[in-house]
Short mmCIF file of all heavy atoms in Angstrom, two decimals:
data_model
loop_
_atom_site.label_atom_id
_atom_site.label_comp_id
_atom_site.label_asym_id
_atom_site.label_seq_id
_atom_site.Cartn_x
_atom_site.Cartn_y
_atom_site.Cartn_z
N HIS A 51 -4.02 7.29 4.64
CA HIS A 51 -4.89 6.12 4.90
C HIS A 51 -5.42 6.13 6.31
O HIS A 51 -5.30 5.17 7.06
CB HIS A 51 -4.09 4.84 4.59
CG HIS A 51 -3.77 4.65 3.15
ND1 HIS A 51 -4.64 4.11 2.21
CD2 HIS A 51 -2.68 5.06 2.42
CE1 HIS A 51 -4.06 4.16 1.00
NE2 HIS A 51 -2.94 4.71 1.13
N HIS A 55 -11.76 0.65 6.73
CA HIS A 55 -12.99 0.03 6.29
C HIS A 55 -13.19 -1.39 6.81
O HIS A 55 -14.30 -1.89 6.86
CB HIS A 55 -13.11 0.03 4.76
CG HIS A 55 -12.99 1.36 4.16
ND1 HIS A 55 -14.00 2.33 4.27
CD2 HIS A 55 -12.05 1.91 3.37
CE1 HIS A 55 -13.61 3.41 3.64
NE2 HIS A 55 -12.41 3.23 3.07
N ARG A 89 -5.65 -5.00 6.27
CA ARG A 89 -6.53 -3.83 6.47
C ARG A 89 -6.92 -3.15 5.17
O ARG A 89 -6.08 -2.95 4.31
CB ARG A 89 -5.83 -2.77 7.38
CG ARG A 89 -6.65 -1.50 7.63
CD ARG A 89 -5.71 -0.37 7.96
NE ARG A 89 -6.43 0.83 8.30
CZ ARG A 89 -5.94 2.07 8.12
NH1 ARG A 89 -4.75 2.21 7.57
NH2 ARG A 89 -6.61 3.15 8.49
N TYR A 90 -8.21 -2.88 5.00
CA TYR A 90 -8.74 -2.05 3.90
C TYR A 90 -8.84 -0.62 4.38
O TYR A 90 -9.29 -0.37 5.49
CB TYR A 90 -10.15 -2.53 3.49
CG TYR A 90 -10.23 -3.97 3.02
CD1 TYR A 90 -10.37 -5.00 3.94
CD2 TYR A 90 -10.21 -4.29 1.68
CE1 TYR A 90 -10.49 -6.33 3.51
CE2 TYR A 90 -10.34 -5.62 1.20
CZ TYR A 90 -10.50 -6.62 2.16
OH TYR A 90 -10.63 -7.94 1.73
N SER A 91 -8.50 0.30 3.47
CA SER A 91 -8.46 1.72 3.88
C SER A 91 -8.78 2.66 2.74
O SER A 91 -8.80 2.25 1.54
CB SER A 91 -7.12 2.08 4.55
OG SER A 91 -6.14 1.94 3.55
N SER A 92 -8.92 3.94 3.02
CA SER A 92 -8.95 5.04 2.03
C SER A 92 -7.77 5.89 2.21
O SER A 92 -7.23 6.05 3.32
CB SER A 92 -10.26 5.87 2.15
OG SER A 92 -11.34 5.13 1.61
N ALA A 93 -7.29 6.55 1.17
CA ALA A 93 -5.97 7.15 1.12
C ALA A 93 -5.86 8.46 1.92
O ALA A 93 -4.78 8.73 2.47
CB ALA A 93 -5.52 7.44 -0.32
N GLN A 105 -11.35 8.70 -4.39
CA GLN A 105 -9.95 8.78 -3.93
C GLN A 105 -9.33 7.35 -4.05
O GLN A 105 -10.13 6.40 -4.14
CB GLN A 105 -9.88 9.26 -2.49
CG GLN A 105 -10.62 8.40 -1.49
CD GLN A 105 -10.48 8.86 -0.07
OE1 GLN A 105 -9.38 8.90 0.47
NE2 GLN A 105 -11.58 9.27 0.48
N PRO A 106 -8.06 7.25 -4.00
CA PRO A 106 -7.44 5.89 -3.99
C PRO A 106 -7.83 5.18 -2.72
O PRO A 106 -8.01 5.75 -1.66
CB PRO A 106 -5.93 6.23 -4.03
CG PRO A 106 -5.83 7.60 -4.61
CD PRO A 106 -7.02 8.32 -4.13
N ARG A 107 -7.92 3.83 -2.82
CA ARG A 107 -8.17 2.97 -1.73
C ARG A 107 -6.92 2.12 -1.47
O ARG A 107 -6.16 1.81 -2.39
CB ARG A 107 -9.34 2.01 -1.97
CG ARG A 107 -10.59 2.74 -2.52
CD ARG A 107 -11.21 3.79 -1.58
NE ARG A 107 -12.37 4.46 -2.14
CZ ARG A 107 -13.00 5.45 -1.59
NH1 ARG A 107 -12.63 5.89 -0.36
NH2 ARG A 107 -14.01 6.02 -2.21
N GLY A 108 -6.72 1.77 -0.23
CA GLY A 108 -5.53 1.01 0.16
C GLY A 108 -5.82 -0.32 0.70
O GLY A 108 -6.92 -0.63 1.13
N PHE A 109 -4.75 -1.17 0.77
CA PHE A 109 -4.80 -2.44 1.37
C PHE A 109 -3.41 -2.72 1.90
O PHE A 109 -2.40 -2.31 1.30
CB PHE A 109 -5.13 -3.52 0.35
CG PHE A 109 -5.49 -4.89 0.86
CD1 PHE A 109 -6.73 -5.14 1.43
CD2 PHE A 109 -4.56 -5.90 0.88
CE1 PHE A 109 -7.01 -6.36 1.94
CE2 PHE A 109 -4.85 -7.17 1.42
CZ PHE A 109 -6.10 -7.42 1.89
N ALA A 110 -3.36 -3.29 3.12
CA ALA A 110 -2.08 -3.63 3.71
C ALA A 110 -2.07 -4.99 4.27
O ALA A 110 -3.09 -5.44 4.80
CB ALA A 110 -1.73 -2.61 4.82
N ILE A 111 -0.94 -5.70 4.16
CA ILE A 111 -0.78 -7.02 4.70
C ILE A 111 0.42 -7.10 5.64
O ILE A 111 1.45 -6.58 5.34
CB ILE A 111 -0.57 -8.08 3.59
CG1 ILE A 111 -1.70 -8.09 2.56
CG2 ILE A 111 -0.39 -9.48 4.19
CD1 ILE A 111 -1.40 -9.00 1.35
N ILE A 132 3.48 -5.53 3.63
CA ILE A 132 3.25 -5.31 2.18
C ILE A 132 2.09 -4.31 2.07
O ILE A 132 1.00 -4.54 2.61
CB ILE A 132 2.85 -6.62 1.46
CG1 ILE A 132 3.79 -7.73 1.79
CG2 ILE A 132 2.77 -6.39 -0.07
CD1 ILE A 132 3.40 -9.12 1.25
N GLU A 133 2.33 -3.17 1.36
CA GLU A 133 1.26 -2.18 1.26
C GLU A 133 0.92 -1.97 -0.24
O GLU A 133 1.77 -2.10 -1.09
CB GLU A 133 1.67 -0.85 1.94
CG GLU A 133 2.92 -0.21 1.37
CD GLU A 133 3.23 1.10 2.08
OE1 GLU A 133 2.60 1.40 3.15
OE2 GLU A 133 4.07 1.84 1.61
N PHE A 134 -0.34 -1.61 -0.44
CA PHE A 134 -0.87 -1.47 -1.80
C PHE A 134 -1.73 -0.19 -1.86
O PHE A 134 -2.17 0.37 -0.90
CB PHE A 134 -1.87 -2.64 -2.06
CG PHE A 134 -1.32 -4.01 -1.95
CD1 PHE A 134 -1.26 -4.65 -0.71
CD2 PHE A 134 -0.88 -4.72 -3.06
CE1 PHE A 134 -0.81 -5.95 -0.57
CE2 PHE A 134 -0.39 -6.02 -2.96
CZ PHE A 134 -0.34 -6.64 -1.68
N ASN A 135 -1.92 0.19 -3.13
CA ASN A 135 -2.83 1.28 -3.49
C ASN A 135 -3.63 0.91 -4.70
O ASN A 135 -3.15 0.15 -5.56
CB ASN A 135 -2.04 2.58 -3.72
CG ASN A 135 -2.84 3.81 -3.77
OD1 ASN A 135 -3.59 4.05 -4.72
ND2 ASN A 135 -2.74 4.65 -2.76
N SER A 136 -4.84 1.42 -4.85
CA SER A 136 -5.73 1.02 -5.95
C SER A 136 -5.37 1.63 -7.29
O SER A 136 -6.03 1.34 -8.27
CB SER A 136 -7.17 1.29 -5.60
OG SER A 136 -7.38 2.73 -5.40
N THR A 137 -4.38 2.50 -7.35
CA THR A 137 -3.93 3.04 -8.64
C THR A 137 -2.55 2.43 -8.94
O THR A 137 -1.71 2.31 -8.05
CB THR A 137 -3.83 4.57 -8.60
OG1 THR A 137 -2.89 4.96 -7.59
CG2 THR A 137 -5.19 5.19 -8.29
N PRO A 138 -2.34 2.08 -10.21
CA PRO A 138 -1.03 1.47 -10.55
C PRO A 138 0.18 2.38 -10.51
O PRO A 138 1.31 1.92 -10.49
CB PRO A 138 -1.27 0.92 -12.00
CG PRO A 138 -2.36 1.79 -12.52
CD PRO A 138 -3.25 2.13 -11.38
N ILE A 139 -0.07 3.70 -10.50
CA ILE A 139 1.00 4.64 -10.42
C ILE A 139 0.87 5.51 -9.21
O ILE A 139 -0.23 5.66 -8.62
CB ILE A 139 1.07 5.54 -11.70
CG1 ILE A 139 -0.27 6.28 -11.88
CG2 ILE A 139 1.38 4.70 -12.93
CD1 ILE A 139 -0.24 7.31 -12.98
N THR A 187 -15.16 1.61 -6.59
CA THR A 187 -15.73 0.27 -6.66
C THR A 187 -15.85 -0.38 -5.33
O THR A 187 -15.27 0.08 -4.34
CB THR A 187 -14.93 -0.65 -7.61
OG1 THR A 187 -13.59 -0.75 -7.04
CG2 THR A 187 -14.82 -0.03 -9.02
N HIS A 188 -16.56 -1.45 -5.27
CA HIS A 188 -16.61 -2.34 -4.07
C HIS A 188 -15.16 -2.76 -3.75
O HIS A 188 -14.41 -3.17 -4.60
CB HIS A 188 -17.44 -3.57 -4.35
CG HIS A 188 -17.89 -4.38 -3.17
ND1 HIS A 188 -16.96 -4.94 -2.33
CD2 HIS A 188 -19.07 -4.66 -2.69
CE1 HIS A 188 -17.57 -5.59 -1.39
NE2 HIS A 188 -18.86 -5.43 -1.53
N LEU A 189 -14.76 -2.61 -2.49
CA LEU A 189 -13.40 -2.88 -2.14
C LEU A 189 -12.97 -4.34 -2.40
O LEU A 189 -11.80 -4.59 -2.66
CB LEU A 189 -13.18 -2.62 -0.64
CG LEU A 189 -13.31 -1.08 -0.26
CD1 LEU A 189 -13.14 -0.90 1.24
CD2 LEU A 189 -12.26 -0.28 -0.97
N GLU A 190 -13.92 -5.26 -2.35
CA GLU A 190 -13.58 -6.66 -2.65
C GLU A 190 -13.27 -6.88 -4.09
O GLU A 190 -12.75 -7.92 -4.47
CB GLU A 190 -14.70 -7.60 -2.15
CG GLU A 190 -14.57 -8.01 -0.76
CD GLU A 190 -13.26 -8.61 -0.38
OE1 GLU A 190 -12.70 -9.43 -1.13
OE2 GLU A 190 -12.71 -8.24 0.70
N ALA A 191 -13.65 -5.91 -4.96
CA ALA A 191 -13.42 -6.06 -6.38
C ALA A 191 -12.31 -5.20 -6.88
O ALA A 191 -12.02 -5.13 -8.06
CB ALA A 191 -14.71 -5.78 -7.16
N THR A 192 -11.68 -4.50 -6.00
CA THR A 192 -10.68 -3.47 -6.33
C THR A 192 -9.26 -4.13 -6.40
O THR A 192 -8.76 -4.62 -5.44
CB THR A 192 -10.66 -2.35 -5.28
OG1 THR A 192 -11.97 -1.73 -5.28
CG2 THR A 192 -9.63 -1.28 -5.65
N ARG A 193 -8.67 -4.01 -7.59
CA ARG A 193 -7.28 -4.47 -7.76
C ARG A 193 -6.38 -3.54 -7.06
O ARG A 193 -6.57 -2.28 -7.07
CB ARG A 193 -6.90 -4.56 -9.22
CG ARG A 193 -5.49 -5.11 -9.42
CD ARG A 193 -5.28 -5.45 -10.91
NE ARG A 193 -3.90 -6.02 -11.09
CZ ARG A 193 -3.56 -6.62 -12.20
NH1 ARG A 193 -4.37 -6.84 -13.19
NH2 ARG A 193 -2.31 -7.10 -12.27
N GLN A 194 -5.31 -4.01 -6.43
CA GLN A 194 -4.36 -3.19 -5.69
C GLN A 194 -2.95 -3.38 -6.23
O GLN A 194 -2.63 -4.43 -6.75
CB GLN A 194 -4.39 -3.65 -4.22
CG GLN A 194 -5.71 -3.47 -3.48
CD GLN A 194 -5.98 -2.02 -3.09
OE1 GLN A 194 -5.10 -1.17 -3.16
NE2 GLN A 194 -7.19 -1.72 -2.68
N TYR A 195 -2.17 -2.28 -6.09
CA TYR A 195 -0.84 -2.25 -6.71
C TYR A 195 0.21 -1.77 -5.76
O TYR A 195 -0.05 -1.00 -4.85
CB TYR A 195 -0.85 -1.30 -7.91
CG TYR A 195 -1.78 -1.67 -9.02
CD1 TYR A 195 -3.12 -1.20 -8.96
CD2 TYR A 195 -1.40 -2.46 -10.11
CE1 TYR A 195 -4.02 -1.53 -10.00
CE2 TYR A 195 -2.28 -2.70 -11.12
CZ TYR A 195 -3.63 -2.26 -11.07
OH TYR A 195 -4.48 -2.57 -12.06
N SER A 196 1.50 -2.18 -5.99
CA SER A 196 2.59 -1.68 -5.18
C SER A 196 2.96 -0.24 -5.60
O SER A 196 3.50 0.54 -4.79
CB SER A 196 3.85 -2.54 -5.35
OG SER A 196 4.35 -2.46 -6.65
N GLN A 197 2.67 0.13 -6.84
CA GLN A 197 3.00 1.45 -7.41
C GLN A 197 4.51 1.63 -7.58
O GLN A 197 4.96 2.07 -8.64
CB GLN A 197 2.42 2.63 -6.55
CG GLN A 197 0.93 2.57 -6.41
CD GLN A 197 0.44 3.81 -5.62
OE1 GLN A 197 0.97 4.15 -4.62
NE2 GLN A 197 -0.61 4.36 -6.14
N LYS A 208 7.42 -4.95 -9.64
CA LYS A 208 6.23 -4.37 -8.99
C LYS A 208 5.33 -5.52 -8.66
O LYS A 208 5.37 -6.56 -9.31
CB LYS A 208 5.58 -3.30 -9.90
CG LYS A 208 6.40 -2.05 -10.06
CD LYS A 208 5.62 -0.96 -10.78
CE LYS A 208 6.39 0.32 -10.88
NZ LYS A 208 5.67 1.44 -11.60
N TYR A 209 4.48 -5.36 -7.72
CA TYR A 209 3.49 -6.40 -7.39
C TYR A 209 2.02 -5.90 -7.35
O TYR A 209 1.81 -4.69 -7.34
CB TYR A 209 3.86 -7.04 -6.02
CG TYR A 209 3.93 -6.09 -4.85
CD1 TYR A 209 2.80 -5.61 -4.23
CD2 TYR A 209 5.17 -5.70 -4.27
CE1 TYR A 209 2.88 -4.76 -3.11
CE2 TYR A 209 5.24 -4.88 -3.19
CZ TYR A 209 4.11 -4.41 -2.64
OH TYR A 209 4.14 -3.55 -1.53
N SER A 210 1.14 -6.82 -7.38
CA SER A 210 -0.28 -6.48 -7.46
C SER A 210 -1.10 -7.56 -6.80
O SER A 210 -0.71 -8.73 -6.72
CB SER A 210 -0.73 -6.32 -8.92
OG SER A 210 -2.10 -6.03 -9.04
N LEU A 211 -2.25 -7.18 -6.26
CA LEU A 211 -3.19 -8.12 -5.60
C LEU A 211 -4.49 -8.07 -6.42
O LEU A 211 -5.13 -7.01 -6.53
CB LEU A 211 -3.44 -7.68 -4.17
CG LEU A 211 -4.05 -8.74 -3.25
CD1 LEU A 211 -3.09 -9.91 -3.04
CD2 LEU A 211 -4.43 -8.10 -1.92
N VAL A 212 -4.90 -9.21 -6.97
CA VAL A 212 -5.96 -9.25 -7.95
C VAL A 212 -7.13 -10.07 -7.41
O VAL A 212 -6.91 -11.32 -7.13
CB VAL A 212 -5.49 -9.91 -9.31
CG1 VAL A 212 -6.63 -9.89 -10.32
CG2 VAL A 212 -4.24 -9.20 -9.78
N PRO A 213 -8.29 -9.51 -7.23
CA PRO A 213 -9.47 -10.32 -6.76
C PRO A 213 -9.74 -11.45 -7.78
O PRO A 213 -9.85 -11.19 -8.96
CB PRO A 213 -10.59 -9.28 -6.80
CG PRO A 213 -9.90 -7.94 -6.70
CD PRO A 213 -8.65 -8.09 -7.39
N TYR A 250 -7.49 -13.78 -3.48
CA TYR A 250 -6.74 -12.88 -4.33
C TYR A 250 -5.48 -13.61 -4.90
O TYR A 250 -4.90 -14.42 -4.21
CB TYR A 250 -6.19 -11.66 -3.57
CG TYR A 250 -7.27 -10.76 -3.00
CD1 TYR A 250 -7.86 -11.01 -1.73
CD2 TYR A 250 -7.69 -9.62 -3.68
CE1 TYR A 250 -8.77 -10.14 -1.22
CE2 TYR A 250 -8.62 -8.77 -3.11
CZ TYR A 250 -9.19 -9.06 -1.92
OH TYR A 250 -10.09 -8.18 -1.34
N GLU A 251 -5.10 -13.26 -6.12
CA GLU A 251 -3.86 -13.68 -6.64
C GLU A 251 -2.78 -12.56 -6.38
O GLU A 251 -3.07 -11.37 -6.63
CB GLU A 251 -3.94 -13.92 -8.15
CG GLU A 251 -4.77 -15.11 -8.52
CD GLU A 251 -4.77 -15.44 -10.00
OE1 GLU A 251 -4.10 -14.64 -10.75
OE2 GLU A 251 -5.41 -16.39 -10.45
N PHE A 252 -1.65 -12.98 -5.85
CA PHE A 252 -0.51 -12.04 -5.68
C PHE A 252 0.35 -12.20 -6.88
O PHE A 252 0.93 -13.25 -7.13
CB PHE A 252 0.24 -12.36 -4.42
CG PHE A 252 1.33 -11.34 -4.07
CD1 PHE A 252 1.07 -10.20 -3.38
CD2 PHE A 252 2.64 -11.61 -4.46
CE1 PHE A 252 2.06 -9.28 -3.09
CE2 PHE A 252 3.66 -10.72 -4.21
CZ PHE A 252 3.33 -9.57 -3.50
N GLN A 253 0.51 -11.11 -7.68
CA GLN A 253 1.22 -11.21 -8.91
C GLN A 253 2.45 -10.24 -8.93
O GLN A 253 2.42 -9.25 -8.22
CB GLN A 253 0.31 -10.83 -10.13
CG GLN A 253 -0.87 -11.74 -10.28
CD GLN A 253 -1.72 -11.35 -11.47
OE1 GLN A 253 -1.68 -10.23 -11.96
NE2 GLN A 253 -2.48 -12.35 -11.96
N TRP A 279 2.16 -9.67 -16.04
CA TRP A 279 2.08 -10.03 -14.64
C TRP A 279 2.09 -11.54 -14.57
O TRP A 279 1.51 -12.27 -15.39
CB TRP A 279 0.75 -9.51 -14.05
CG TRP A 279 0.73 -8.00 -13.92
CD1 TRP A 279 0.15 -7.11 -14.80
CD2 TRP A 279 1.23 -7.21 -12.85
NE1 TRP A 279 0.30 -5.82 -14.34
CE2 TRP A 279 0.95 -5.90 -13.12
CE3 TRP A 279 1.89 -7.53 -11.65
CZ2 TRP A 279 1.33 -4.85 -12.28
CZ3 TRP A 279 2.27 -6.49 -10.81
CH2 TRP A 279 1.96 -5.17 -11.12
N LEU A 285 -3.81 -15.10 -1.64
CA LEU A 285 -4.25 -14.74 -0.35
C LEU A 285 -5.71 -15.21 -0.19
O LEU A 285 -6.56 -14.85 -0.98
CB LEU A 285 -4.19 -13.22 -0.15
CG LEU A 285 -4.75 -12.67 1.15
CD1 LEU A 285 -3.89 -13.08 2.32
CD2 LEU A 285 -4.82 -11.13 1.08
#
Side-chain angles (χ1 to χ4, degrees):
H51 294 274
H55 302 291
R89 178 204 184 209
Y90 299 85
S91 64
S92 284
Q105 61 179 294
R107 311 298 177 183
F109 192 79
I111 303 175
I132 311 174
E133 60 179 11
F134 304 84
N135 193 287
S136 62
T137 60
I139 58 174
T187 61
H188 195 298
L189 293 177
E190 272 308 315
T192 300
R193 183 169 182 166
Q194 298 282 349
Y195 300 86
S196 68
Q197 300 184 315
K208 287 187 177 181
Y209 58 74
S210 179
L211 197 66
V212 184
Y250 297 86
E251 292 184 359
F252 184 86
Q253 298 183 338
W279 292 96
L285 174 67

